[in-house]
Amino acid sequence: MSPLKHLEKENPIIDACFRDFCFSHGILTVEDFLLHDLYELAAFAERQKNAARLKEGITLMISLIELQCRPLLNGMELLEDLQRNKHTLSTGDKGTDSLLQGGFREGQLTELVGPSSSGKTQFCMQASASVAENHVGGVLYIDTGNSFSARRIAQFICSSLDAALVQKVMSRISCHTVYDIYTMFDTLQSLEVTLRSQMNVDEYRLRLLVVDSISSLITPILGGSGSQGRALMVAVGYLLKKLAHEHNIAVLVTNHTVGTGEGGKTKPALGETWKSIPHVRLMLSRDHTNSSCTISILKHTSMPSGQTVKTTARKDNQQGL
């Protein structure tokens, strides 16, 4: 991203005074600004003599970032992207694969929405096992709530009686624990550097990136009426889509639901701004009386919404949601 000085011509408030303030906090570029703790930066600005002007500059920077994080693609670019080396990866569940016409599509971000205890994490672990085993690909699992279970993933591996195979498949899955949005940016930035250095390496290349759950990182920064949280949310969504597009990775994120206040109905969390980010949105619901799960399409780039598929949840070594 650009150095801050390049913004001054069209945005006079990003002047030498504002840049000096940013420099004192190690912020030299727009990217540095994005990765910084903005609440901490605003608190420092509040103690300066020119606090009002500095806070105005911070607000302007957030607005500029939000605008720049919305890539524009025309129809031909979208078609070429769909046809260029984009494959599907099995989710590990036959019903869901059928619903999605093969599974997750590389280069796209799929969001799985569902209430607490509906099976989102189990779905993510099953998908991780499936990609690592059946597609001989690498999986990066970003865990935001200490819900990752290597033992559970091992149980999803079909030939789980073969200890050597289980060990080989499990070695293709990496888990990183992330508890805040700033660590998330650091993790994605490091991942991008790693992927660029391995662009010509096909063996066990990263094929699936899981974030369980994205809403746990974003919800805490959306409070209040300011736009800082929204800008960071859009930026992390853009980075995930950028990684998916440039490196042919399937990205799977989970999101919780919130009540609408209308007859107990629920809807995906994170609001309308986030709604436009995923290529595919799936809703997962569970009937705890008979352990049946239903997955429905809320949004898809090439399929109509409303289609559903039912699966049966199973425990222990058997596959299921």
Side-chain angles (χ1 to χ4, degrees), residues 137-200:
V139 177
L140 175 59
Y141 195 114
I142 297 179
D143 179 18
T144 71
N146 282 328
S147 56
F148 179 86
S149 170
R151 174 181 172 276
R152 189 71 183 104
I153 289 181
Q155 290 176 340
F156 281 122
I157 300 172
C158 295
S159 304
S160 56
L161 295 179
D162 186 340
L165 176 60
V166 172
Q167 185 175 9
K168 189 173 184 179
V169 173
M170 292 296 292
S171 69
R172 300 171 192 154
I173 303 173
S174 300
C175 179
H176 287 201
T177 302
V178 173
Y179 294 126
D180 63 78
I181 195 69
Y182 301 104
T183 305
M184 180 67 170
F185 278 117
D186 289 340
T187 300
L188 295 181
Q189 189 177 41
S190 297
L191 174 61
E192 184 169 25
V193 172
T194 300
L195 291 173
R196 289 190 182 281
S197 67
Q198 298 177 347
M199 287 186 70
N200 297 321

Coordinates of all heavy atoms in Angstrom, one line a residue, residues 137-200:
G137 N -3.8 -32.0 0.0 CA -3.5 -30.6 0.0 C -3.3 -30.1 1.4 O -3.7 -30.8 2.4
G138 N -2.6 -28.9 1.6 CA -2.4 -28.3 2.8 C -3.7 -27.6 3.3 O -4.4 -27.1 2.6
V139 N -3.8 -27.6 4.7 CA -4.9 -26.9 5.3 C -4.4 -26.0 6.4 O -3.6 -26.5 7.2 CB -6.0 -27.8 5.9 CG1 -7.1 -27.1 6.6 CG2 -6.5 -28.8 4.8
L140 N -4.8 -24.7 6.4 CA -4.5 -23.8 7.6 C -5.8 -23.6 8.3 O -6.7 -23.0 7.7 CB -3.9 -22.5 7.1 CG -3.6 -21.5 8.2 CD1 -2.7 -22.1 9.3 CD2 -3.0 -20.2 7.6
Y141 N -5.8 -23.9 9.6 CA -7.0 -23.8 10.4 C -6.7 -22.7 11.4 O -5.9 -22.8 12.3 CB -7.3 -25.1 11.1 CG -8.7 -25.2 11.7 CD1 -9.6 -26.2 11.2 CD2 -9.1 -24.5 12.8 CE1 -10.9 -26.3 11.7 CE2 -10.4 -24.6 13.3 CZ -11.2 -25.5 12.8 OH -12.5 -25.7 13.3
I142 N -7.4 -21.5 11.3 CA -7.3 -20.4 12.2 C -8.4 -20.6 13.2 O -9.6 -20.4 12.9 CB -7.3 -19.1 11.5 CG1 -6.2 -19.0 10.5 CG2 -7.3 -17.9 12.5 CD1 -6.1 -17.7 9.7
D143 N -8.0 -20.8 14.5 CA -8.9 -21.1 15.6 C -9.0 -19.9 16.5 O -8.0 -19.5 17.0 CB -8.4 -22.3 16.3 CG -9.3 -22.7 17.5 OD1 -10.5 -22.3 17.5 OD2 -8.8 -23.5 18.4
T144 N -10.2 -19.4 16.6 CA -10.4 -18.2 17.5 C -11.1 -18.4 18.8 O -11.3 -17.5 19.6 CB -11.3 -17.1 16.7 OG1 -12.6 -17.6 16.6 CG2 -10.7 -16.9 15.3
G145 N -11.4 -19.7 19.1 CA -12.1 -20.0 20.3 C -11.7 -21.3 21.0 O -12.5 -21.9 21.8
N146 N -10.5 -21.7 20.7 CA -10.0 -23.0 21.3 C -10.9 -24.2 21.1 O -11.1 -25.0 22.0 CB -9.8 -22.8 22.9 CG -8.6 -22.0 23.2 OD1 -7.6 -22.1 22.5 ND2 -8.6 -21.3 24.3
S147 N -11.4 -24.2 19.9 CA -12.3 -25.3 19.5 C -11.7 -26.4 18.6 O -12.3 -27.4 18.4 CB -13.6 -24.8 18.9 OG -13.3 -24.0 17.7
F148 N -10.5 -26.1 18.2 CA -9.8 -27.1 17.3 C -9.5 -28.4 18.0 O -9.0 -28.3 19.2 CB -8.6 -26.5 16.7 CG -7.8 -27.4 15.8 CD1 -8.1 -27.4 14.5 CD2 -6.7 -28.1 16.3 CE1 -7.3 -28.3 13.6 CE2 -6.0 -29.0 15.5 CZ -6.3 -29.0 14.1
S149 N -9.7 -29.5 17.4 CA -9.5 -30.8 18.1 C -8.8 -31.7 17.1 O -9.4 -32.2 16.1 CB -10.7 -31.5 18.6 OG -10.5 -32.8 19.0
A150 N -7.5 -31.9 17.2 CA -6.8 -32.8 16.3 C -7.3 -34.3 16.4 O -7.4 -35.0 15.4 CB -5.3 -32.8 16.7
R151 N -7.7 -34.7 17.6 CA -8.3 -36.0 17.8 C -9.6 -36.1 17.0 O -9.8 -37.2 16.3 CB -8.6 -36.2 19.3 CG -9.4 -37.5 19.5 CD -9.6 -37.7 21.0 NE -10.5 -38.8 21.3 CZ -11.8 -38.8 21.2 NH1 -12.4 -37.6 20.9 NH2 -12.6 -39.8 21.5
R152 N -10.4 -35.1 16.9 CA -11.7 -35.2 16.2 C -11.4 -35.2 14.7 O -12.1 -35.9 14.0 CB -12.6 -34.0 16.5 CG -14.0 -34.1 16.0 CD -14.8 -35.2 16.7 NE -16.1 -35.4 16.1 CZ -16.4 -36.4 15.3 NH1 -15.5 -37.3 15.0 NH2 -17.6 -36.5 14.8
I153 N -10.4 -34.4 14.2 CA -10.1 -34.5 12.8 C -9.6 -35.8 12.4 O -10.0 -36.4 11.4 CB -9.0 -33.4 12.5 CG1 -9.7 -32.0 12.6 CG2 -8.5 -33.6 11.1 CD1 -8.7 -30.9 12.3
A154 N -8.8 -36.5 13.3 CA -8.2 -37.8 13.0 C -9.4 -38.8 12.8 O -9.3 -39.7 12.0 CB -7.3 -38.2 14.1
Q155 N -10.4 -38.6 13.6 CA -11.6 -39.5 13.5 C -12.3 -39.4 12.2 O -13.0 -40.4 11.7 CB -12.6 -39.3 14.6 CG -12.0 -39.7 16.0 CD -13.0 -39.3 17.1 OE1 -13.8 -38.4 17.0 NE2 -12.8 -39.9 18.3
F156 N -12.2 -38.3 11.5 CA -12.9 -38.1 10.2 C -12.1 -38.7 9.1 O -12.6 -38.9 8.0 CB -13.0 -36.6 9.9 CG -14.2 -36.0 10.6 CD1 -13.9 -34.9 11.5 CD2 -15.5 -36.4 10.5 CE1 -15.0 -34.3 12.2 CE2 -16.5 -35.8 11.2 CZ -16.3 -34.7 12.0
I157 N -10.9 -39.1 9.3 CA -10.1 -39.7 8.2 C -10.6 -41.1 8.0 O -10.7 -41.9 8.9 CB -8.6 -39.7 8.6 CG1 -8.1 -38.3 8.8 CG2 -7.7 -40.4 7.5 CD1 -6.7 -38.1 9.3
C158 N -10.9 -41.4 6.7 CA -11.6 -42.6 6.4 C -10.8 -43.9 6.8 O -11.4 -44.8 7.5 CB -11.8 -42.7 4.9 SG -13.0 -41.5 4.2
S159 N -9.5 -43.9 6.5 CA -8.7 -45.1 6.9 C -8.1 -44.9 8.2 O -6.9 -45.0 8.4 CB -7.7 -45.4 5.8 OG -8.3 -45.5 4.5
S160 N -8.9 -44.6 9.2 CA -8.3 -44.2 10.5 C -7.6 -45.3 11.2 O -6.9 -45.1 12.2 CB -9.4 -43.6 11.4 OG -10.5 -44.5 11.6
L161 N -7.8 -46.6 10.8 CA -7.1 -47.7 11.4 C -5.7 -47.8 11.0 O -4.9 -48.4 11.6 CB -7.8 -49.0 11.0 CG -9.3 -49.1 11.6 CD1 -9.9 -50.5 11.2 CD2 -9.3 -49.0 13.1
D162 N -5.3 -47.1 9.9 CA -4.0 -47.0 9.4 C -3.3 -45.8 10.1 O -3.4 -44.7 9.6 CB -4.0 -46.9 7.9 CG -2.5 -47.0 7.3 OD1 -1.6 -46.8 8.1 OD2 -2.4 -47.2 6.1
A163 N -2.5 -46.1 11.1 CA -1.9 -45.1 11.9 C -0.9 -44.2 11.1 O -0.8 -43.0 11.3 CB -1.2 -45.7 13.1
A164 N -0.2 -44.9 10.2 CA 0.8 -44.2 9.3 C 0.1 -43.2 8.4 O 0.5 -42.1 8.2 CB 1.6 -45.2 8.5
L165 N -1.1 -43.6 7.9 CA -1.8 -42.7 7.0 C -2.4 -41.5 7.8 O -2.3 -40.4 7.3 CB -3.0 -43.5 6.3 CG -3.9 -42.6 5.4 CD1 -3.1 -42.0 4.3 CD2 -5.0 -43.5 4.8
V166 N -2.9 -41.8 8.9 CA -3.5 -40.7 9.8 C -2.4 -39.7 10.1 O -2.6 -38.5 10.0 CB -4.0 -41.3 11.1 CG1 -4.4 -40.2 12.0 CG2 -5.2 -42.2 10.8
Q167 N -1.2 -40.2 10.4 CA -0.1 -39.3 10.7 C 0.3 -38.4 9.5 O 0.5 -37.2 9.6 CB 1.1 -40.0 11.2 CG 2.3 -39.2 11.7 CD 3.4 -40.0 12.3 OE1 3.4 -41.2 12.2 NE2 4.4 -39.3 12.9
K168 N 0.3 -39.1 8.4 CA 0.6 -38.4 7.1 C -0.4 -37.3 6.8 O 0.0 -36.2 6.4 CB 0.8 -39.4 6.0 CG 1.4 -38.8 4.7 CD 1.6 -39.9 3.7 CE 2.3 -39.3 2.4 NZ 2.6 -40.4 1.4
V169 N -1.7 -37.6 6.9 CA -2.7 -36.7 6.6 C -2.7 -35.5 7.6 O -2.8 -34.3 7.2 CB -4.1 -37.4 6.6 CG1 -5.2 -36.3 6.4 CG2 -4.2 -38.4 5.4
M170 N -2.6 -35.8 8.9 CA -2.6 -34.8 9.9 C -1.4 -33.8 9.8 O -1.5 -32.7 10.1 CB -2.5 -35.5 11.3 CG -3.8 -36.3 11.7 SD -5.2 -35.2 11.8 CE -4.8 -34.3 13.3
S171 N -0.3 -34.3 9.2 CA 0.9 -33.4 9.0 C 0.6 -32.3 8.0 O 1.3 -31.4 7.9 CB 2.1 -34.3 8.6 OG 1.9 -34.8 7.3
R172 N -0.4 -32.5 7.2 CA -0.8 -31.5 6.2 C -1.7 -30.4 6.8 O -2.0 -29.5 6.1 CB -1.5 -32.2 5.0 CG -0.7 -33.2 4.3 CD -1.5 -34.0 3.3 NE -0.8 -35.2 2.8 CZ -1.3 -36.3 2.4 NH1 -2.6 -36.3 2.3 NH2 -0.6 -37.3 2.0
I173 N -2.1 -30.5 8.0 CA -3.0 -29.6 8.6 C -2.3 -28.8 9.7 O -1.7 -29.4 10.6 CB -4.2 -30.3 9.3 CG1 -5.0 -31.1 8.2 CG2 -5.2 -29.3 9.9 CD1 -6.1 -32.0 8.8
S174 N -2.3 -27.5 9.6 CA -1.7 -26.6 10.6 C -2.8 -25.8 11.3 O -3.8 -25.4 10.6 CB -0.7 -25.6 9.9 OG 0.3 -26.3 9.3
C175 N -2.6 -25.5 12.5 CA -3.6 -24.8 13.3 C -2.9 -23.6 14.0 O -1.8 -23.7 14.6 CB -4.3 -25.6 14.4 SG -5.5 -24.7 15.4
H176 N -3.4 -22.4 13.8 CA -2.9 -21.2 14.4 C -4.1 -20.6 15.3 O -5.2 -20.5 14.8 CB -2.5 -20.1 13.4 CG -1.3 -20.4 12.7 ND1 -0.5 -19.5 12.1 CD2 -0.6 -21.6 12.5 CE1 0.6 -20.0 11.5 NE2 0.5 -21.3 11.7
T177 N -3.7 -20.3 16.5 CA -4.7 -19.7 17.4 C -4.6 -18.2 17.3 O -3.6 -17.6 17.5 CB -4.5 -20.1 18.9 OG1 -4.5 -21.6 18.9 CG2 -5.5 -19.6 19.8
V178 N -5.8 -17.5 17.1 CA -5.8 -16.1 16.9 C -7.0 -15.5 17.8 O -8.1 -16.1 17.7 CB -6.1 -15.7 15.4 CG1 -6.3 -14.2 15.3 CG2 -4.9 -16.1 14.6
Y179 N -6.7 -14.5 18.6 CA -7.8 -14.0 19.5 C -8.2 -12.6 19.2 O -9.2 -12.1 19.8 CB -7.3 -14.1 20.9 CG -7.1 -15.6 21.4 CD1 -5.9 -16.0 21.9 CD2 -8.1 -16.5 21.3 CE1 -5.7 -17.3 22.4 CE2 -7.9 -17.8 21.7 CZ -6.7 -18.2 22.3 OH -6.6 -19.5 22.7
D180 N -7.6 -11.9 18.3 CA -8.0 -10.5 18.0 C -7.7 -10.2 16.6 O -7.0 -10.9 15.9 CB -7.3 -9.5 18.9 CG -5.8 -9.5 18.8 OD1 -5.3 -8.9 17.8 OD2 -5.1 -10.1 19.6
I181 N -8.4 -9.1 16.1 CA -8.3 -8.8 14.7 C -6.9 -8.4 14.2 O -6.5 -8.6 13.1 CB -9.3 -7.6 14.4 CG1 -9.6 -7.5 12.9 CG2 -8.9 -6.3 15.0 CD1 -10.3 -8.7 12.3
Y182 N -6.1 -7.8 15.1 CA -4.8 -7.3 14.7 C -3.9 -8.5 14.5 O -3.0 -8.5 13.6 CB -4.3 -6.3 15.8 CG -5.2 -5.1 15.9 CD1 -6.0 -5.0 17.0 CD2 -5.2 -4.2 14.9 CE1 -6.9 -3.9 17.1 CE2 -6.1 -3.1 15.0 CZ -6.9 -2.9 16.1 OH -7.8 -1.9 16.2
T183 N -4.0 -9.5 15.4 CA -3.2 -10.7 15.2 C -3.6 -11.4 13.9 O -2.8 -12.0 13.2 CB -3.4 -11.7 16.4 OG1 -3.0 -11.0 17.6 CG2 -2.5 -12.9 16.3
M184 N -4.9 -11.3 13.6 CA -5.4 -11.9 12.4 C -4.8 -11.3 11.1 O -4.3 -12.0 10.2 CB -6.9 -11.7 12.3 CG -7.6 -12.3 11.0 SD -7.5 -14.1 11.0 CE -8.6 -14.5 9.6
F185 N -4.6 -9.9 11.1 CA -4.0 -9.3 10.0 C -2.5 -9.7 9.9 O -2.0 -10.0 8.8 CB -4.0 -7.7 10.2 CG -5.3 -7.1 9.8 CD1 -6.1 -6.5 10.7 CD2 -5.7 -7.2 8.4 CE1 -7.3 -5.9 10.3 CE2 -6.9 -6.6 8.0 CZ -7.7 -6.0 8.9
D186 N -1.8 -9.8 11.1 CA -0.4 -10.3 11.1 C -0.3 -11.7 10.5 O 0.6 -12.0 9.7 CB 0.1 -10.3 12.5 CG 0.4 -8.9 13.0 OD1 0.4 -8.0 12.2 OD2 0.4 -8.7 14.3
T187 N -1.3 -12.6 10.9 CA -1.3 -14.0 10.4 C -1.5 -14.0 8.9 O -0.8 -14.8 8.2 CB -2.4 -14.8 11.1 OG1 -2.1 -14.8 12.5 CG2 -2.4 -16.2 10.6
L188 N -2.4 -13.3 8.4 CA -2.7 -13.3 7.0 C -1.6 -12.7 6.2 O -1.3 -13.1 5.0 CB -4.0 -12.5 6.7 CG -5.3 -13.1 7.3 CD1 -6.5 -12.3 6.9 CD2 -5.5 -14.6 6.8
Q189 N -1.0 -11.6 6.7 CA 0.2 -11.0 6.0 C 1.3 -12.0 5.9 O 2.0 -12.1 4.9 CB 0.6 -9.7 6.8 CG 1.6 -8.9 6.0 CD 1.9 -7.6 6.8 OE1 2.1 -7.6 8.0 NE2 2.1 -6.5 6.1
S190 N 1.6 -12.7 7.0 CA 2.7 -13.7 7.0 C 2.4 -14.8 6.1 O 3.3 -15.3 5.3 CB 2.9 -14.2 8.4 OG 3.3 -13.2 9.3
L191 N 1.1 -15.2 6.0 CA 0.7 -16.3 5.1 C 0.9 -15.8 3.6 O 1.4 -16.6 2.8 CB -0.8 -16.6 5.3 CG -1.4 -17.6 4.3 CD1 -0.7 -18.9 4.4 CD2 -2.9 -17.8 4.6
E192 N 0.6 -14.6 3.3 CA 0.8 -14.1 2.0 C 2.2 -14.1 1.6 O 2.6 -14.5 0.4 CB 0.2 -12.7 1.8 CG 0.3 -12.2 0.4 CD -0.5 -10.9 0.2 OE1 -0.7 -10.2 1.2 OE2 -0.9 -10.6 -0.9
V193 N 3.1 -13.7 2.5 CA 4.6 -13.8 2.2 C 5.0 -15.2 1.9 O 5.8 -15.5 1.0 CB 5.4 -13.2 3.3 CG1 6.8 -13.4 3.1 CG2 5.0 -11.7 3.5
T194 N 4.5 -16.1 2.7 CA 4.9 -17.5 2.6 C 4.4 -18.1 1.3 O 5.1 -18.8 0.5 CB 4.3 -18.4 3.7 OG1 4.8 -17.9 5.0 CG2 4.7 -19.8 3.6
L195 N 3.2 -17.8 0.9 CA 2.6 -18.3 -0.3 C 3.3 -17.8 -1.6 O 3.5 -18.5 -2.5 CB 1.1 -17.9 -0.4 CG 0.2 -18.7 0.6 CD1 -1.2 -18.1 0.5 CD2 0.2 -20.2 0.3
R196 N 3.7 -16.5 -1.5 CA 4.4 -15.9 -2.6 C 5.8 -16.6 -2.8 O 6.3 -16.7 -4.0 CB 4.6 -14.4 -2.4 CG 3.3 -13.6 -2.6 CD 3.6 -12.1 -2.6 NE 2.3 -11.4 -2.7 CZ 1.6 -11.2 -3.8 NH1 2.0 -11.8 -5.0 NH2 0.5 -10.5 -3.9
S197 N 6.4 -17.0 -1.8 CA 7.7 -17.7 -1.9 C 7.6 -19.1 -2.3 O 8.6 -19.7 -2.7 CB 8.4 -17.6 -0.5 OG 7.8 -18.4 0.4
Q198 N 6.3 -19.6 -2.3 CA 6.1 -21.0 -2.7 C 5.3 -21.2 -3.9 O 4.7 -22.2 -4.1 CB 5.5 -21.8 -1.5 CG 6.3 -21.8 -0.2 CD 5.6 -22.5 0.9 OE1 4.4 -22.7 0.9 NE2 6.3 -22.8 2.0
M199 N 5.2 -20.1 -4.7 CA 4.2 -20.1 -5.8 C 4.5 -21.3 -6.8 O 3.6 -21.7 -7.5 CB 4.3 -18.8 -6.6 CG 3.6 -17.7 -5.8 SD 3.5 -16.1 -6.7 CE 2.3 -16.5 -7.9
N200 N 5.7 -21.7 -6.9 CA 6.0 -22.8 -7.9 C 6.1 -24.2 -7.2 O 6.6 -25.1 -7.9 CB 7.3 -22.5 -8.6 CG 7.2 -21.2 -9.4 OD1 6.2 -20.9 -10.1 ND2 8.3 -20.4 -9.4

